[in-house]
Amino acid sequence: MTGRAALLVLTSNSVLGNTGRSTGAYASEVAESWRTFATAGYRVDVASIQGGRPPLEAVDTGDPAQQALFADEAMTAAMASTRPVREVDPAAYGIVFTAGGHGAIWDLPYDEALAGLLRDAYENDAVIAAVCHGPAAFLGTRLSNGEYLVAGRKVACFTNDEERAVGMTSVVPFLLADELVRRGAQHDAVGPFLPHVVVDGRLVTGQNPASTELVAEQAIAVATAKTA
């Protein structure tokens, strides 16, 4: 395992169900996680479910983190042509971070290559982190013993109250918090849109976009502590 390398995993889904509305990975979650890892000295690679240029939502060119991301030549090139998850070597990363955005609900839970990547990375001693809708990736992830990655673990994710607040409960195919609980997770939450991070061993999760930097920082702290 390469301890100073982090992988960002993004959705490839660009449409909100049958609404015709666009979606993708939440741009601030991509930018803030990248900036946090890079500032800490990590090499940051990007993968997506299908590869190529992943869709982004909530792009804000006035946001400093996003400005930095779009101005960085290496990341601009990486985002223009991400590797498909199926081609990623899980042993190459000390941290695997799955970004959210509503697009994640439609493809992350069902991709067998992503489930395998997360399983292998976790069992290879990597830190697994996700924020907002990123924990949707855990819905299909089982360990080699057959148990779900989140079984018996405390996790945070975009809450039912937050889905209601943004008017998405009738659009999304399921409520993420409920589905995580069905797989044995203990959902831990605070009030809507407040920053909140849960650390359970090498599993680090955050509730919403406001939690992104904290998730990345805690992932780094966990990775650093276990190699100290």
Side-chain angles (χ1 to χ4, degrees), residues 155-157 159 186-191 196 198 207:
V155 298
C157 71
T159 68
Q186 302 170 33
H187 181 230
D188 191 275
V190 296
H196 181 54
V198 174
Q207 181 168 317

Side-chain angles (χ1 to χ4, degrees), residues 120-141:
D120 292 348
Y122 183 79
E123 293 181 349
N124 199 45
D125 212 28
V127 176
I128 304 300
V131 69
C132 195
H133 290 89
F138 304 154
L139 297 180
T141 302

Side-chain angles (χ1 to χ4, degrees), residues 97-161:
F97 181 101
T98 305
H102 275 96
I105 290 287
W106 277 272
D107 62 357
L108 298 190
Y110 310 110
D111 191 80
E112 293 182 2
L114 177 57
L117 168 67
L118 293 173
R119 177 198 64 226
D120 292 348
Y122 183 79
E123 293 181 349
N124 199 45
D125 212 28
V127 176
I128 304 300
V131 69
C132 195
H133 290 89
F138 304 154
L139 297 180
T141 302
R142 293 180 184 267
L143 301 177
S144 294
N145 63 8
E147 294 184 354
Y148 282 106
L149 171 65
V150 295
R153 313 292 290 277
K154 287 186 177 180
V155 298
C157 71
F158 205 65
T159 68
N160 295 354
D161 286 343

